[in-house]
Amino acid sequence: IMARPLLLPLVLLAALGVTSASKSVLVLLQNVNTADKYSKFFGSLRDYGFDVSVKGVKDSTLKLKEYGTWLYDDLVLFAPQTEGFGGKIDRQVILDFVDSGHNVLMALNSDASESMRNLAAEFGIDVDDRGSKVYDHFSHATLNGKEDHTLIAGGNIVDVPVMVGGPYKEPVLFRGIASVIPGDAELATVALGAPSTSYSHAPKQAMLEPPSLMVGSSISLVTAVQARNNARVVVAGSLEMFTDDFFDAVVTVNGVSTHTANWAFTVTLARWAFQDRGVLVASNMRHHLLGSDEQPWGYRVNDDVEFLVDVVEVDGGVPKPFAADDIQLEFIMLNPYIRQPLQHDGNGTFSLRFKVPDVYGVFKYYIDYAHCGYSYIKLTHQVPVRPFKHNEYERFLVCAYPYYASAISIMVGFFALGFFYLYNK
Amino acid sequence: MRLYAKLAAASKYLALTGICVLAFSVRLFSIVKYESVIHEFDPYFNYRVTQFLTKEGFYEMWNWFDDRTWYPLGRVIGGTVYPGLIFTAGTIYRILHFFHVPIHVQEVCVLTAPLFSAFCALACYGLVSQARSHGAGLLAAFFVAIVPSYISRSVAGSFDNEGVAIFALVNVFYWFVKTVNSGSLADAVVLVASYGYMVMSWGGYSFIINLLPLYCLACIFFGRLNGRLYVAFAPLVALGTAISCSIPVVGFNAVLMSEHFGAFFAFIVLHVALLVSYVRRMLSTKHFVILASMVLTVAIALGALAASVVVAYVAKSPTLGWTGRSMTLLDPTYASRFVPIIASVSEHQPPQWSSYIMDLHMLVMLAPAGILACLHRLTDASLFLVLYGLTAVYFSGVMIRLMLVLAPAVCCLSAVALSDLMYVLCGSMRCWKPRFTFSTANDSATAAGEGGGEGASKAPPTPGAAPSPAAPSTKDAVAPSTPDEPTSVKKKTRSRVPSKAAASAAGSKLYALPLLVCGALLGMILVILGLYVVHCIHASADMYSSPSIVLQSPRRDGGVHVFDDFREAYAWLRHNTHPDAKVASWWDYGYQTTAMANRTVIVDNNTWNTSHIATVGRAMSSSEAKAWSIYRALDVEYVFVVFGGLVGYPSDDINKFLWMVRIGGGVYPEIKEPDYLTPEGDYRVDARGTKTMLNSLMYKLSYYDFADESQLSTGQRGVDRVRGYLIGKLNVKLNYFEEVFTSQHWMMRIYRVRDQPLRDPTSRAGKKGKAANRRG
């Protein structure tokens, strides 16, 4: 019974254990000769233990999968303009790659192709029309003395250190295309949001009347998606933000000269995307009656029980105890009868003691932890709660003494009467 | 003479043995024609519990909380099951294994019902021989051994409560009548014990606990009150109620529900009546009248008070303290108005008149004559038979299932009628034979003695009329032979001599029937009995032996085509799904799924929670997306439907669908029955079917991919062979469910509820389809 809920984390843990030594990353560039532009980014990834192989997007030897085995753990798509892929890669292969738990980092720009746009849409991100750019006439940056209204510097970095690092004092430079995520998106997070004064517009196209632009903070510049199988996808609207130029740039924003945070931001985000950060592994789920270490088949109503689970956070391949006070445990039969946060002991063991409700049925323990930036923890474990057995009820109740008395008195009376009737002649 | 008596006794036992063998073997057609399997739906549950009992033991079963049914509510099996049948089969299994008979528990279960129908024949013999004579008893045993109505629920494999409960019912009646006849306390103890077994076996015990008080009141009314009745009835009410209370499924219902109040009322009336007769004997008439008027005044006042309390208690409950099923019996329109879940069961429908002929054959004709015969020479026991017959006729008219209760009554009454007739005919023949050698007066007197003794003589005062009371003289003479004692045969043989003497002394003239008429009538009786046997064998062999999980249809070349789709699909579920997977279906298939597929089900045939069944009905009636979220909320992984459209199997889910809508709509008002009917009020799934109907999950799951398959078999796309027309929407697409298994004849189609998609693509990516296609 335990096996199924534990399977996923275990598989993940195994995967991490095996591959954390060197996770292989395939980078597809528009032109393989431009790899130098991103040398610092790739260098940092290599420093973190990634095995980065760079190839051209039209390379005819490309393949992600061989004999049913994925050759890479992560895919980087730095080829926004490409319409198709070389070799044996196509959109469906990339989707299968993600659906089997692997990660994709894709960067676009204003000339992003239709196929890239569709790929982003598959991950739940709508990218703006081809040719459009994000403009901001207020918080743009001046680079090398050239004022550029499309060089956004006032982006709002999401306050999730595990995903993007920080907090950053310097701005993250961005030049590229806007995207939006649906209002009801559950899986997507805006890692870098546009300033409220920005808008997206394609200068070569006629403005619609009335204008229907992507405006302000509804624009997402960099979007992070964590699929339900914990595969991660990051879609950045700007390819340039990963370049050495932007890493090293000194820009003037509103008259203040500053370095950029691009290097730290992009590398941290890439590590997050490649499941090198923010990975939670829950294991060793167990529960028992208070005063017994054995895990029972089920409980009786009103039993006092304890539930425990170990959660570790894996950072750079190293597990360390996770600490949070917002992991909730639910005890559900149709409705949650118990919903309480788990207590942690500092060593990664989360536990809760509670009294089983006075209702019998097939309950299940349920943890659905979806903290932004961390991988999801979803555990279910079924445990039946039975009513009292026929010999477990209380006996000789005080309030029943009148009934006992009446029953005994009738028996005595019957016996006396019978005796009297039979022998009193 | 003594030799004759011994021979008679021996032949009686021989006949009884033969009847038992007949009762057992006539029910084995299902094994011969099919195989030794458990039949239908409910028996699978009983089988599963019996398996559990034999593996885990008595106390574990008593405490069993089953977490594999009614997910996630679970079911307390020990407290919600009538354990009689299961304990019986478990005990038989234990005994056999104690003697090292290595029989599988399934064979025990398969053969329990035939075994108990043999016992039932014995009990019927006892009942009628108490009420009338051993000859009538033999006839009753013979009738009940092969009566089709009873066969229908007790063929080998039909491991249902009724299999032992009908025996238990007749057994209680036998011991009751025996106690009433003998007044023995020992018999009363056995009576209470057999009543306890009946309560353990079947909910139909409430029939007994209402019939016996009725009989008791009738006895008081007709002035037949005596101590023997008291010995029979009073301990039964007191101890029987105590026993019922200690069976968990009945529990406090035995003192709280209105079904049982009749017994308490009769109990009180019986005591009052006995007290009154006692006081009347003690006092002179004058004093008694004075006392009676005084007591009556006080009693009426007190009685009114008590009655108002009881009425207030009863009126508090919306059903006046009756359970739904009992309300259905008292008011046949109740279920169809208020409890669709009871009305939806086919065996709860009123029977058609033809089923009386089918199930009882000539007994239908004989039973009224039996009632007349019983009333004609009324004894305590025959009064009981009359009351049993009349009440059973009423109940069988309300619910087809209760034909089963009627069957033994009709058999007993018919046996009484037929045996009376035979006595008259045989007596007449015997007095014709010696006519030419002995004097006429003596012979006709013999005939009268025989005929009158059996209560159907053609007495001279009203020649040719219906059976009339025997002449007073013969009646006196035969009086000792009335079955107050169980050994009435011996007495009867002895009483013949005085009856002759008395008859001739009185000089009354009783005419025997002409020999020719006797012969013809006897021949006719034999022919009718033969027809009855032929009919019963036919019914057993051809109609009631189908296990309903395996179907057969004749082929043109004389062979049979076997449809074993259900077991095929259950086996698929058992072998290909996770052991903890939850399977949803309409509740009819719940027991089979848990027993045969060993998977957790959402609802099953124990329809104790209407709202849970309504949830499943709602899911089936809803659109695909909504049904998906309902099933996901219930952790359902597989959904299956039974579909007969390809091979023409009429009792499939599409035909049951309106009940799902009704039951679902009873709890969830968003489901409205008119949405599923055409404007003319027809239920159709063709092009005239409503949009809601054609979009419902039931339609989609039934007809998914059906058009192409039907083209292969009928040559036309989408022709449903049950409904007989073209279905309304040919190309059914499923987005939230995926087909995982369809049995050979498409009778069972299993679908998997798709997981939540791993990713949420935006509408821009939606060209390729919805959530479903994007599973990893």
Side-chain angles (χ1 to χ4, degrees):
Chain A
I1 299 171
M2 287 273 294
R4 205 151 51 141
L6 282 184
L7 198 62
L8 188 65
L10 281 178
V11 167
L12 261 180
L13 192 64
L16 283 167
V18 171
T19 57
S20 59
S22 75
K23 291 174 75 174
S24 55
V25 181
L26 175 66
V27 179
L28 297 183
L29 293 181
Q30 195 77 44
N31 180 354
V32 76
N33 299 326
T34 57
D36 290 348
K37 282 166 71 178
Y38 316 101
S39 61
K40 288 192 170 172
F41 178 68
F42 295 145
S44 296
L45 286 185
R46 288 192 178 102
D47 291 346
Y48 279 108
F50 290 97
D51 176 12
V52 181
S53 39
V54 182
K55 288 183 178 168
V57 72
K58 293 290 188 186
D59 191 336
S60 60
T61 61
L62 283 182
K63 54 184 165 190
L64 279 178
K65 193 179 197 178
E66 192 170 53
Y67 303 123
T69 310
W70 296 104
L71 299 173
Y72 302 97
D73 298 300
D74 313 291
L75 177 67
V76 177
L77 291 174
F78 279 182
Q81 284 104 325
T82 188
E83 280 294 349
F85 300 90
K88 289 181 178 166
I89 297 183
D90 59 16
R91 186 174 75 156
Q92 194 53 49
V93 171
I94 295 176
L95 292 180
D96 290 346
F97 185 67
V98 171
D99 288 343
S100 55
H102 299 91
N103 316 298
V104 170
L105 167 64
M106 55 189 288
L108 307 174
N109 62 16
S110 298
D111 296 326
S113 68
E114 202 56 30
S115 80
M116 283 295 162
R117 222 180 291 276
N118 286 338
L119 190 59
E122 290 283 358
F123 302 125
I125 300 159
D126 274 332
V127 182
D128 204 358
D129 291 340
R130 190 166 199 169
S132 67
K133 295 173 180 168
V134 184
Y135 289 87
D136 191 337
H137 302 301
F138 298 91
S139 56
H140 53 267
T142 306
L143 178 62
N144 301 333
K146 214 171 82 184
E147 188 174 354
D148 184 353
H149 287 222
T150 62
L151 189 60
I152 312 295
N156 301 313
I157 302 167
V158 69
D159 184 21
V160 182
V162 70
M163 183 190 282
V164 295
Y168 296 107
K169 292 201 181 70
E170 301 88 3
V172 175
L173 285 189
F174 178 95
R175 179 156 57 199
I177 198 164
S179 48
V180 287
I181 55 175
D184 59 351
E186 289 176 11
L187 308 175
T189 311
V190 177
L192 183 66
S196 54
T197 49
S198 62
Y199 64 96
S200 171
H201 176 54
K204 286 179 185 165
Q205 288 174 10
M207 184 80 84
L208 287 173
E209 196 61 46
S212 60
L213 302 173
M214 295 183 186
V215 175
S217 48
S218 69
I219 297 176
S220 171
L221 303 178
V222 177
T223 317
V225 177
Q226 181 166 268
R228 292 196 174 83
N229 60 350
N230 283 327
R232 287 169 180 175
V233 173
V234 169
V235 177
S238 164
L239 178 57
E240 280 177 278
M241 65 189 296
F242 295 92
T243 57
D244 297 354
D245 293 349
F246 273 39
F247 286 6
D248 298 335
V250 178
V251 291
T252 313
V253 181
N254 296 333
V256 183
S257 181
T258 173
H259 288 279
T260 67
N262 277 41
W263 196 345
F265 176 81
T266 53
V267 170
T268 315
L269 189 59
R271 283 184 60 211
W272 178 86
F274 300 157
Q275 299 192 33
D276 201 32
R277 291 171 63 91
V279 174
L280 297 182
V281 177
S283 62
N284 195 16
M285 180 169 61
R286 58 211 184 271
H287 60 94
H288 57 81
L289 290 168
L290 285 188
S292 146
D293 285 338
E294 209 177 326
Q295 178 156 323
W297 165 82
Y299 305 131
R300 197 181 69 190
V301 292
N302 292 332
D303 272 346
D304 289 306
V305 298
E306 183 173 32
F307 174 90
L308 303 104
V309 64
D310 294 340
V311 182
V312 293
E313 180 183 355
V314 184
D315 192 349
V318 183
K320 60 181 187 194
F322 184 62
D325 50 14
D326 57 353
I327 301 184
Q328 282 186 340
L329 174 70
E330 294 180 29
F331 197 54
I332 300 180
M333 184 194 73
L334 290 179
N335 302 309
Y337 282 76
I338 306 271
R339 183 189 279 150
Q340 281 187 16
L342 288 168
Q343 314 287 324
H344 68 89
D345 64 351
N347 292 323
T349 300
F350 289 73
S351 65
L352 181 69
R353 293 180 175 200
F354 65 97
K355 188 189 255 309
V356 172
D358 193 9
V359 178
Y360 60 81
V362 183
F363 281 79
K364 64 178 178 186
Y365 285 115
Y366 184 64
I367 294 180
D368 187 5
Y369 185 64
H371 194 107
C372 184
Y374 288 105
S375 52
Y376 308 121
I377 298 177
K378 197 158 187 174
L379 298 175
T380 56
H381 176 58
Q382 183 176 312
V383 47
V385 174
R386 63 169 174 82
F388 286 98
K389 290 185 178 177
H390 74 280
N391 54 358
E392 285 176 339
Y393 289 98
E394 209 179 335
R395 308 181 95 172
F396 303 113
L397 308 170
V398 174
C399 58
Y401 280 153
Y403 300 98
Y404 302 146
S406 70
I408 292 168
S409 65
I410 284 193
M411 283 193 274
V412 170
F414 180 77
F415 185 77
L417 188 71
F419 192 84
F420 180 80
Y421 183 78
L422 288 176
Y423 297 107
N424 187 30
K425 287 287 175 190
Chain B
M1 207 63 193
R2 192 165 292 165
L3 180 68
Y4 271 127
K6 273 184 181 168
L7 273 180
S11 62
K12 186 183 79 186
Y13 289 124
L14 199 66
L16 276 180
T17 315
I19 287 170
C20 287
V21 171
L22 174 68
F24 186 84
S25 51
V26 79
R27 286 164 168 83
L28 300 183
F29 277 110
S30 60
I31 295 184
V32 176
K33 287 185 72 178
Y34 296 87
E35 57 188 296
S36 175
V37 285
I38 307 286
H39 289 196
E40 306 234 321
F41 304 106
D42 287 24
Y44 271 95
F45 169 75
N46 298 325
Y47 172 50
R48 180 164 163 260
V49 179
T50 310
Q51 269 183 317
F52 187 89
L53 175 72
T54 52
K55 264 186 226 143
E56 309 283 339
F58 175 85
Y59 281 110
E60 284 302 310
M61 192 243 128
W62 200 249
N63 291 326
W64 188 15
F65 173 70
D66 187 2
D67 58 338
R68 297 186 78 81
T69 58
W70 290 95
Y71 180 85
L73 302 168
R75 178 181 171 194
V76 186
I77 300 279
T80 58
V81 77
Y82 285 100
L85 173 77
I86 292 146
F87 286 171
T88 306
T91 312
I92 294 175
Y93 177 85
R94 283 281 163 86
I95 291 171
L96 289 177
H97 276 247
F98 178 77
F99 289 111
H100 298 290
V101 181
I103 190 170
H104 191 266
V105 62
Q106 179 174 330
E107 315 306 329
V108 175
C109 295
V110 164
L111 294 176
T112 298
L115 182 68
F116 272 76
S117 55
F119 293 162
C120 183
L122 291 183
C124 262
Y125 165 76
L127 176 62
V128 177
S129 52
Q130 285 295 324
R132 188 51 63 107
S133 67
H134 289 269
L138 280 177
L139 263 181
F142 166 71
F143 284 147
V144 87
I146 56 173
V147 64
S149 168
Y150 184 29
I151 286 181
S152 73
R153 302 305 295 259
S154 63
V155 293
S158 180
F159 187 52
D160 211 346
N161 284 341
E162 288 89 338
V164 298
I166 295 304
F167 156 71
L169 182 86
V170 180
N171 192 37
V172 170
F173 290 156
Y174 164 62
W175 285 104
F176 181 75
V177 171
K178 187 157 191 269
T179 316
V180 167
N181 279 344
S182 70
S184 144
L185 210 51
D187 287 343
V189 170
V190 181
L191 167 65
V192 169
S194 55
Y195 176 70
Y197 184 68
M198 176 67 201
V199 178
M200 262 168 63
S201 302
W202 199 32
Y205 76 90
S206 56
F207 176 64
I208 295 180
I209 204 64
N210 283 302
L211 175 61
L212 297 189
L214 193 66
Y215 171 73
C216 187
L217 293 180
C219 279
I220 294 171
F221 184 76
F222 288 126
R224 292 177 160 274
L225 179 60
N226 52 33
R228 288 176 280 119
L229 178 68
Y230 183 81
V231 169
F233 187 70
L236 179 72
V237 172
L239 296 179
T241 303
I243 289 177
S244 330
C245 279
S246 52
I247 291 166
V249 65
V250 180
F252 282 104
N253 282 352
V255 286
L256 292 179
M257 297 305 280
S258 295
E259 278 95 341
H260 306 80
F261 286 175
F264 303 142
F265 177 69
F267 188 68
I268 295 169
V269 170
L270 181 66
H271 280 91
V272 171
L274 280 173
L275 184 70
V276 167
S277 66
Y278 177 70
V279 170
R280 175 179 268 165
R281 256 187 285 140
M282 302 287 283
L283 297 178
S284 66
T285 318
K286 196 180 149 198
H287 286 128
F288 179 74
V289 170
I290 296 170
L291 185 69
S293 57
M294 277 166 61
V295 168
L296 266 184
T297 323
V298 178
I300 286 172
L302 283 178
L305 196 69
S308 59
V309 169
V310 171
V311 165
Y313 169 76
V314 165
K316 209 172 57 179
S317 147
T319 58
L320 300 179
W322 297 80
T323 57
R325 271 161 222 251
S326 303
M327 278 308 277
T328 316
L329 289 177
L330 298 176
D331 172 9
T333 60
Y334 176 81
S336 54
R337 281 184 292 148
F338 298 112
V339 202
I341 211 149
I342 291 181
S344 76
V345 181
S346 61
E347 64 182 17
H348 290 168
Q349 309 294 335
Q352 294 166 325
W353 66 266
S354 59
S355 63
Y356 281 93
I357 308 292
M358 190 61 238
D359 281 355
L360 302 170
H361 198 239
M362 61 144 187
L363 304 183
V364 175
M365 265 68 81
L366 283 174
I371 292 180
L372 285 182
C374 284
L375 288 176
H376 172 230
R377 206 163 48 65
L378 200 61
T379 61
D380 289 348
S382 61
L383 175 65
F384 179 79
L385 277 190
V386 170
L387 282 178
Y388 175 29
L390 291 179
T391 45
V393 165
Y394 169 73
F395 287 127
S396 74
V398 177
M399 252 189 214
I400 194 164
R401 185 158 80 133
L402 296 180
M403 290 285 275
L404 209 51
V405 173
L406 176 66
V410 165
C411 289
C412 294
L413 290 172
S414 309
V416 169
L418 201 60
S419 91
D420 280 5
L421 192 58
M422 299 268 277
Y423 267 110
V424 172
L425 296 178
C426 296
S428 297
M429 287 183 89
R430 277 164 73 176
C431 72
W432 277 114
K433 195 176 78 181
R435 178 182 186 134
F436 306 104
T437 47
F438 296 109
S439 76
T440 323
N442 243 3
D443 292 329
S444 45
T446 313
E450 299 283 359
E454 299 322 311
S457 71
K458 304 284 179 192
T462 49
S468 60
S473 58
T474 52
K475 194 176 184 182
D476 289 344
V478 188
S481 77
T482 52
D484 284 345
E485 284 85 6
T487 53
S488 57
V489 157
K490 282 180 196 164
K491 294 220 166 170
K492 197 171 291 156
T493 51
R494 264 182 267 135
S495 73
R496 270 184 194 142
V497 184
S499 84
K500 263 183 212 166
S504 52
S508 67
K509 291 180 179 173
L510 295 168
Y511 299 117
L513 290 167
L515 191 57
L516 192 66
V517 174
C518 287
L521 279 178
L522 269 181
M524 274 174 66
I525 288 173
L526 282 178
V527 167
I528 290 178
L529 284 178
L531 283 178
Y532 175 70
V533 171
V534 168
H535 173 80
C536 292
I537 304 283
H538 158 71
S540 173
D542 298 339
M543 296 171 58
Y544 293 133
S545 286
S546 165
S548 93
I549 55 161
V550 185
L551 305 170
Q552 285 184 350
S553 77
R555 273 198 313 236
R556 270 190 210 129
D557 61 3
V560 285
H561 206 97
V562 178
F563 299 94
D564 204 359
D565 283 37
F566 293 115
R567 290 196 294 178
E568 184 190 352
Y570 290 131
W572 186 91
L573 276 174
R574 190 170 69 242
H575 291 297
N576 295 284
T577 61
H578 190 277
D580 275 340
K582 318 310 186 255
V583 180
S585 66
W586 190 233
W587 59 263
D588 295 21
Y589 314 105
Y591 280 162
Q592 292 184 346
T593 313
T594 34
M596 282 197 265
N598 194 18
R599 292 294 172 268
T600 309
V601 295
I602 305 299
V603 291
D604 67 24
N605 310 44
N606 176 265
T607 52
W608 65 276
N609 188 323
T610 314
S611 66
H612 214 50
I613 291 183
T615 308
V616 174
R618 179 194 186 201
M620 289 292 189
S621 331
S622 304
S623 66
E624 202 191 340
K626 203 161 147 198
W628 181 81
S629 53
I630 293 172
Y631 281 139
R632 292 281 301 181
L634 288 170
D635 295 336
V636 170
E637 201 168 336
Y638 296 92
V639 180
F640 71 79
V641 293
V642 170
F643 172 64
L646 192 71
V647 289
Y649 170 63
S651 52
D652 66 350
D653 278 352
I654 292 274
N655 278 355
K656 292 174 184 167
F657 184 55
L658 267 194
W659 288 111
M660 304 184 201
V661 172
R662 271 176 211 155
I663 291 169
V667 177
Y668 301 100
E670 81 216 28
I671 309 280
K672 297 183 196 71
E673 192 179 333
D675 290 349
Y676 297 86
L677 302 173
T678 59
E680 299 83 47
D682 294 335
Y683 172 67
R684 300 183 74 87
V685 291
D686 61 359
R688 291 201 285 130
T690 57
K691 205 174 158 219
T692 324
M693 175 69 224
L694 299 186
N695 273 326
S696 65
L697 183 70
M698 176 51 70
Y699 181 90
K700 287 190 166 184
L701 296 189
S702 290
Y703 291 115
Y704 177 69
D705 266 357
F706 172 66
D708 297 332
E709 184 70 20
S710 66
Q711 188 168 27
L712 295 178
S713 61
T714 62
Q716 198 182 351
R717 275 170 63 82
V719 173
D720 183 317
R721 289 174 68 175
V722 173
R723 265 61 64 175
Y725 46 67
L726 204 67
I727 58 171
K729 214 162 78 175
L730 288 177
N731 299 317
V732 178
K733 271 196 182 142
L734 286 175
N735 292 323
Y736 294 85
F737 295 83
E738 60 182 348
E739 184 187 10
V740 289
F741 181 78
T742 294
S743 61
Q744 189 190 353
H745 304 99
W746 285 48
M747 280 163 64
M748 213 152 136
R749 314 197 63 190
I750 306 177
Y751 293 84
R752 208 179 79 91
V753 182
R754 286 183 191 267
D755 294 329
Q756 218 176 353
L758 294 175
R759 295 169 283 108
D760 289 337
T762 62
S763 51
R764 177 195 180 97
K767 295 167 199 160
K768 268 194 70 185
K770 291 226 164 50
N773 284 331
R774 286 170 253 115
R775 272 201 63 250

